[in-house]
Amino acid sequence: MGFIERIKHAIVSNGEGIALRDLQAAVRAGEDLHGTLELVGGEHDVNLEGVLLRLDEERLIYDNPRHGDFDFWREAAAVTIPLGRSLAPGERLQVPVVLPLPADLEPSANHRRYRVTAKLQASGRHPKASAVVDVVV
């Protein structure tokens, strides 16, 4: 993965890094969304409680060919993945993640998209990563 993609898919806080990798490009409503969560330890040991994995529906709120803008509409699905371990400085941890999707999701469209977000639950630290996924018929 190139440097630009690493910047695009990871948000770093106090040296810790979190990224979503290997997400399915397209998923059907009612199926499971699979991916891998990659965590990188920062300057100090971090006690990892878990990861909140969410799928949010976003709607186009400003339709301009140069500056279309999507915003949160509703939470479509969520799951908390318990970790219960420490992450040492510089340590890399890869965690497979699965998010069951509701069967009633409408497919992605010009005015509707879905964003999956992984938010780390650790004392005093909450880095997150997100990516857009397509829900197809």
Side-chain angles (χ1 to χ4, degrees), residues 121-135:
Q121 298 174 327
S123 299
R125 295 171 172 89
H126 304 287
K128 63 182 178 178
S130 67
V132 174
V133 295
D134 286 327
V135 174

Side-chain angles (χ1 to χ4, degrees), residues 15-18 38-48 83-95 120 122:
E16 294 95 32
I18 182 172
E38 183 178 73
L39 302 169
V40 179
E43 297 176 7
H44 308 285
D45 285 346
V46 176
N47 188 18
L48 303 173
L83 296 175
R85 61 159 292 175
S86 278
L87 187 66
E91 179 183 4
R92 288 187 178 275
L93 176 64
Q94 292 190 345
V95 179
L120 185 63

Side-chain angles (χ1 to χ4, degrees), residues 11-24:
I11 295 176
V12 177
S13 173
N14 294 325
E16 294 95 32
I18 182 172
L20 286 166
R21 306 270 188 242
D22 307 321
L23 280 176
Q24 295 165 259

Side-chain angles (χ1 to χ4, degrees), residues 4 15 25 31 33 49 52 71 91 104 111-113 118 132:
I4 298 298
E31 294 183 353
L33 175 66
E49 298 163 14
L52 174 62
D71 200 8
E91 179 183 4
D104 63 348
H111 66 285
R112 176 182 39 254
R113 71 179 183 191
V132 174

